[in-house]
mmCIF file with all atom_site columns, all heavy atoms in Angstrom:
data_model
loop_
_atom_site.group_PDB
_atom_site.id
_atom_site.type_symbol
_atom_site.label_atom_id
_atom_site.label_alt_id
_atom_site.label_comp_id
_atom_site.label_asym_id
_atom_site.label_entity_id
_atom_site.label_seq_id
_atom_site.pdbx_PDB_ins_code
_atom_site.Cartn_x
_atom_site.Cartn_y
_atom_site.Cartn_z
_atom_site.occupancy
_atom_site.B_iso_or_equiv
_atom_site.pdbx_formal_charge
_atom_site.auth_seq_id
_atom_site.auth_comp_id
_atom_site.auth_asym_id
_atom_site.auth_atom_id
_atom_site.pdbx_PDB_model_num
ATOM 1  N N   . SER Y 1 126 ? 88.467 131.199 99.139  1.00 81.00 ? 126 SER Y N   1
ATOM 2  C CA  . SER Y 1 126 ? 88.220 130.650 100.433 1.00 81.00 ? 126 SER Y CA  1
ATOM 3  C C   . SER Y 1 126 ? 89.173 129.557 100.809 1.00 81.00 ? 126 SER Y C   1
ATOM 4  O O   . SER Y 1 126 ? 89.583 128.818 99.939  1.00 81.00 ? 126 SER Y O   1
ATOM 5  C CB  . SER Y 1 126 ? 86.740 130.077 100.444 1.00 81.00 ? 126 SER Y CB  1
ATOM 6  O OG  . SER Y 1 126 ? 85.817 131.042 100.055 1.00 81.00 ? 126 SER Y OG  1
ATOM 7  N N   . ALA Y 1 167 ? 85.807 122.180 96.724  1.00 97.00 ? 167 ALA Y N   1
ATOM 8  C CA  . ALA Y 1 167 ? 86.906 123.071 96.990  1.00 97.00 ? 167 ALA Y CA  1
ATOM 9  C C   . ALA Y 1 167 ? 87.532 123.576 95.656  1.00 97.00 ? 167 ALA Y C   1
ATOM 10 O O   . ALA Y 1 167 ? 88.280 124.563 95.723  1.00 97.00 ? 167 ALA Y O   1
ATOM 11 C CB  . ALA Y 1 167 ? 88.031 122.326 97.767  1.00 97.00 ? 167 ALA Y CB  1
ATOM 12 N N   . TRP Y 1 169 ? 86.074 125.142 93.604  1.00 98.00 ? 169 TRP Y N   1
ATOM 13 C CA  . TRP Y 1 169 ? 85.526 126.414 93.331  1.00 98.00 ? 169 TRP Y CA  1
ATOM 14 C C   . TRP Y 1 169 ? 85.821 127.469 94.398  1.00 98.00 ? 169 TRP Y C   1
ATOM 15 O O   . TRP Y 1 169 ? 85.207 128.493 94.646  1.00 98.00 ? 169 TRP Y O   1
ATOM 16 C CB  . TRP Y 1 169 ? 83.884 126.260 93.371  1.00 98.00 ? 169 TRP Y CB  1
ATOM 17 C CG  . TRP Y 1 169 ? 83.424 125.328 92.332  1.00 98.00 ? 169 TRP Y CG  1
ATOM 18 C CD1 . TRP Y 1 169 ? 83.084 124.023 92.585  1.00 98.00 ? 169 TRP Y CD1 1
ATOM 19 C CD2 . TRP Y 1 169 ? 83.200 125.558 90.977  1.00 98.00 ? 169 TRP Y CD2 1
ATOM 20 N NE1 . TRP Y 1 169 ? 82.635 123.470 91.402  1.00 98.00 ? 169 TRP Y NE1 1
ATOM 21 C CE2 . TRP Y 1 169 ? 82.699 124.348 90.417  1.00 98.00 ? 169 TRP Y CE2 1
ATOM 22 C CE3 . TRP Y 1 169 ? 83.326 126.656 90.108  1.00 98.00 ? 169 TRP Y CE3 1
ATOM 23 C CZ2 . TRP Y 1 169 ? 82.313 124.161 89.127  1.00 98.00 ? 169 TRP Y CZ2 1
ATOM 24 C CZ3 . TRP Y 1 169 ? 82.998 126.545 88.803  1.00 98.00 ? 169 TRP Y CZ3 1
ATOM 25 C CH2 . TRP Y 1 169 ? 82.467 125.317 88.247  1.00 98.00 ? 169 TRP Y CH2 1
ATOM 26 N N   . ARG Y 1 170 ? 87.088 127.266 94.993  1.00 97.00 ? 170 ARG Y N   1
ATOM 27 C CA  . ARG Y 1 170 ? 87.552 128.070 96.087  1.00 97.00 ? 170 ARG Y CA  1
ATOM 28 C C   . ARG Y 1 170 ? 87.687 129.612 95.687  1.00 97.00 ? 170 ARG Y C   1
ATOM 29 O O   . ARG Y 1 170 ? 87.510 130.489 96.528  1.00 97.00 ? 170 ARG Y O   1
ATOM 30 C CB  . ARG Y 1 170 ? 88.899 127.584 96.502  1.00 97.00 ? 170 ARG Y CB  1
ATOM 31 C CG  . ARG Y 1 170 ? 89.928 127.524 95.353  1.00 97.00 ? 170 ARG Y CG  1
ATOM 32 C CD  . ARG Y 1 170 ? 91.290 126.941 95.658  1.00 97.00 ? 170 ARG Y CD  1
ATOM 33 N NE  . ARG Y 1 170 ? 92.096 126.722 94.387  1.00 97.00 ? 170 ARG Y NE  1
ATOM 34 C CZ  . ARG Y 1 170 ? 93.366 126.802 94.385  1.00 97.00 ? 170 ARG Y CZ  1
ATOM 35 N NH1 . ARG Y 1 170 ? 94.073 127.004 95.553  1.00 97.00 ? 170 ARG Y NH1 1
ATOM 36 N NH2 . ARG Y 1 170 ? 94.011 126.614 93.266  1.00 97.00 ? 170 ARG Y NH2 1
ATOM 37 N N   . ARG Y 1 171 ? 87.897 129.822 94.348  1.00 97.00 ? 171 ARG Y N   1
ATOM 38 C CA  . ARG Y 1 171 ? 88.098 131.221 93.954  1.00 97.00 ? 171 ARG Y CA  1
ATOM 39 C C   . ARG Y 1 171 ? 86.836 131.873 93.362  1.00 97.00 ? 171 ARG Y C   1
ATOM 40 O O   . ARG Y 1 171 ? 86.869 132.970 92.788  1.00 97.00 ? 171 ARG Y O   1
ATOM 41 C CB  . ARG Y 1 171 ? 89.253 131.282 92.892  1.00 97.00 ? 171 ARG Y CB  1
ATOM 42 C CG  . ARG Y 1 171 ? 90.596 130.941 93.594  1.00 97.00 ? 171 ARG Y CG  1
ATOM 43 C CD  . ARG Y 1 171 ? 91.709 130.808 92.515  1.00 97.00 ? 171 ARG Y CD  1
ATOM 44 N NE  . ARG Y 1 171 ? 92.983 130.679 93.174  1.00 97.00 ? 171 ARG Y NE  1
ATOM 45 C CZ  . ARG Y 1 171 ? 94.010 129.889 92.738  1.00 97.00 ? 171 ARG Y CZ  1
ATOM 46 N NH1 . ARG Y 1 171 ? 93.812 129.193 91.693  1.00 97.00 ? 171 ARG Y NH1 1
ATOM 47 N NH2 . ARG Y 1 171 ? 95.093 129.889 93.469  1.00 97.00 ? 171 ARG Y NH2 1
ATOM 48 N N   . GLU Y 1 319 ? 97.792 124.014 97.521  1.00 96.00 ? 319 GLU Y N   1
ATOM 49 C CA  . GLU Y 1 319 ? 96.373 123.905 97.833  1.00 96.00 ? 319 GLU Y CA  1
ATOM 50 C C   . GLU Y 1 319 ? 95.620 123.110 96.757  1.00 96.00 ? 319 GLU Y C   1
ATOM 51 O O   . GLU Y 1 319 ? 94.809 122.216 97.076  1.00 96.00 ? 319 GLU Y O   1
ATOM 52 C CB  . GLU Y 1 319 ? 95.756 125.204 98.199  1.00 96.00 ? 319 GLU Y CB  1
ATOM 53 C CG  . GLU Y 1 319 ? 94.421 125.040 98.765  1.00 96.00 ? 319 GLU Y CG  1
ATOM 54 C CD  . GLU Y 1 319 ? 93.811 126.451 99.160  1.00 96.00 ? 319 GLU Y CD  1
ATOM 55 O OE1 . GLU Y 1 319 ? 93.418 127.263 98.268  1.00 96.00 ? 319 GLU Y OE1 1
ATOM 56 O OE2 . GLU Y 1 319 ? 93.817 126.732 100.410 1.00 96.00 ? 319 GLU Y OE2 1
ATOM 57 N N   . ASP Y 1 405 ? 89.175 128.194 88.018  1.00 98.00 ? 405 ASP Y N   1
ATOM 58 C CA  . ASP Y 1 405 ? 90.283 128.210 88.969  1.00 98.00 ? 405 ASP Y CA  1
ATOM 59 C C   . ASP Y 1 405 ? 91.510 128.776 88.298  1.00 98.00 ? 405 ASP Y C   1
ATOM 60 O O   . ASP Y 1 405 ? 92.435 129.320 88.972  1.00 98.00 ? 405 ASP Y O   1
ATOM 61 C CB  . ASP Y 1 405 ? 90.539 126.773 89.479  1.00 98.00 ? 405 ASP Y CB  1
ATOM 62 C CG  . ASP Y 1 405 ? 91.458 126.836 90.707  1.00 98.00 ? 405 ASP Y CG  1
ATOM 63 O OD1 . ASP Y 1 405 ? 91.063 127.400 91.695  1.00 98.00 ? 405 ASP Y OD1 1
ATOM 64 O OD2 . ASP Y 1 405 ? 92.471 126.132 90.627  1.00 98.00 ? 405 ASP Y OD2 1
#
Side-chain angles (χ1 to χ4, degrees):
S126 303
W169 302 98
R170 57 185 173 153
R171 293 175 171 140
E319 187 175 76
D405 193 58

